[in-house]
Amino acid sequence: MSERVLEINGLNSGYGSVQILYDIEIYVDKGEFVTIIGPNGCGKSTLIKTIFGIATHYSGSVQHKSEEVSGWRTDQLVNRGIAYVPQVNNVFPSLTVHENLQMGGNMLPTSVLAERIDRALNMFPDLQQRTHDLAASLSGGERQMLAISRALISDPTFLLLDEPTAALSPLYQQQIIERIDALREEGITVLIVEQNARLSLARSDRGYIFASGKVVHTGDAQHILTDPEIGEYFLGSH
């Protein structure tokens, strides 16, 4: 039986007094790649932020490996092996690539940090020749690679990603999703919120569709991709 990395039951959350999510039920098992899709403003990003302790948790259960973690501080979640890559403001533009990576593990012993930086750069070789360049000089795709690389410095086992391909060229979108999928080979479980539904679902095990702050459909990713009714309403019919 698979280990349940994340289990959410009856989750209600939002920002301050503004409720966004209603009675959310989702789960992610160890080694899975799970994608959340849905129209803009439906609460996808709010879910990721609630899991990571950024949005306001009202009620319901958020369990990581069978332990309740709702209300935990972000640093406590990082120490449990959870990493979060936000959609925007996810790098320090005035720092170099190497300095950004150092910020991902500034509490680590020097030798451990150096080893993890090397490993992160091996996963994203596009950055290997840019380590002394300012993050501000990177393309959008390279910045996203840097943001993910920095998240990997904490050696996570569970990665939360919010719209990692937003505003990127089709080539970089494909590369980013391929690299994220490859992280599973490193033992990392992935939960991703993604606007490019077809691209992400093609790599996913399962998917959830959100609308108006609720889960309206869930199932095998390939079924979601091939169901004509779902395609018409949520994926854009071809």
Side-chain angles (χ1 to χ4, degrees):
M1 182 176 176
S2 297
E3 178 185 353
R4 188 125 309 167
V5 171
L6 176 74
E7 185 162 14
I8 292 178
N9 293 298
L11 177 67
N12 295 278
S13 69
Y15 303 99
S17 60
V18 180
Q19 185 166 355
I20 304 294
L21 295 179
Y22 298 85
D23 299 319
I24 299 297
E25 308 268 340
I26 77 166
Y27 71 90
V28 181
D29 284 340
K30 184 176 181 180
E32 279 194 311
F33 186 131
V34 175
T35 295
I36 299 171
I37 65 171
N40 288 332
C42 69
K44 305 184 301 292
S45 295
T46 301
L47 175 69
I48 296 286
K49 292 174 181 176
T50 303
I51 295 169
F52 203 63
I54 299 172
T56 306
H57 172 268
Y58 302 154
S59 62
S61 173
V62 180
Q63 292 192 351
H64 176 246
K65 296 183 177 179
S66 301
E67 183 168 353
E68 182 67 32
V69 296
S70 57
W72 283 35
R73 299 191 314 269
T74 56
D75 62 308
Q76 293 174 310
L77 297 171
V78 169
N79 288 337
R80 280 189 67 86
I82 304 173
Y84 163 63
V85 182
Q87 178 184 351
V88 295
N89 300 322
N90 54 17
V91 300
F92 299 102
S94 62
L95 300 181
T96 67
V97 168
H98 191 264
E99 288 167 341
N100 266 275
L101 294 174
Q102 287 179 314
M103 292 293 287
N106 54 8
M107 302 298 289
L108 295 172
T110 303
S111 59
V112 174
L113 177 57
E115 180 182 323
R116 291 188 183 175
I117 289 175
D118 285 344
R119 187 176 66 176
L121 290 173
N122 285 333
M123 291 184 189
F124 292 92
D126 304 59
L127 300 176
Q128 289 179 350
Q129 306 303 317
R130 306 294 306 272
T131 55
H132 299 297
D133 295 343
L134 293 179
S137 71
L138 301 179
S139 69
E142 289 168 335
R143 284 194 186 202
Q144 198 60 257
M145 290 178 183
L146 177 57
I148 297 171
S149 296
R150 195 178 69 220
L152 296 177
I153 302 299
S154 65
D155 199 26
T157 55
F158 185 33
L159 187 60
L160 308 169
L161 299 121
D162 189 0
E163 307 276 16
T165 73
L168 301 185
S169 69
L171 176 61
Y172 267 127
Q173 288 182 356
Q174 189 71 42
Q175 287 183 356
I176 291 292
I177 291 296
E178 286 176 358
R179 303 284 170 79
I180 293 169
D181 191 20
L183 294 176
R184 286 200 286 182
E185 301 298 321
E186 305 291 326
I188 297 175
T189 302
V190 175
L191 177 62
I192 180 174
V193 164
E194 184 52 62
Q195 277 295 100
N196 193 328
R198 292 185 181 278
L199 180 65
S200 190
L201 285 169
R203 297 272 177 173
S204 298
D205 298 293
R206 294 183 301 107
Y208 289 90
I209 301 175
F210 278 35
S212 302
K214 298 180 179 180
V215 176
V216 296
H217 186 81
T218 182
D220 175 85
Q222 296 308 309
H223 171 72
I224 293 174
L225 277 171
T226 56
D227 186 306
E229 186 173 340
I230 294 172
E232 180 179 352
Y233 287 104
F234 295 103
L235 303 178
S237 57
H238 286 290

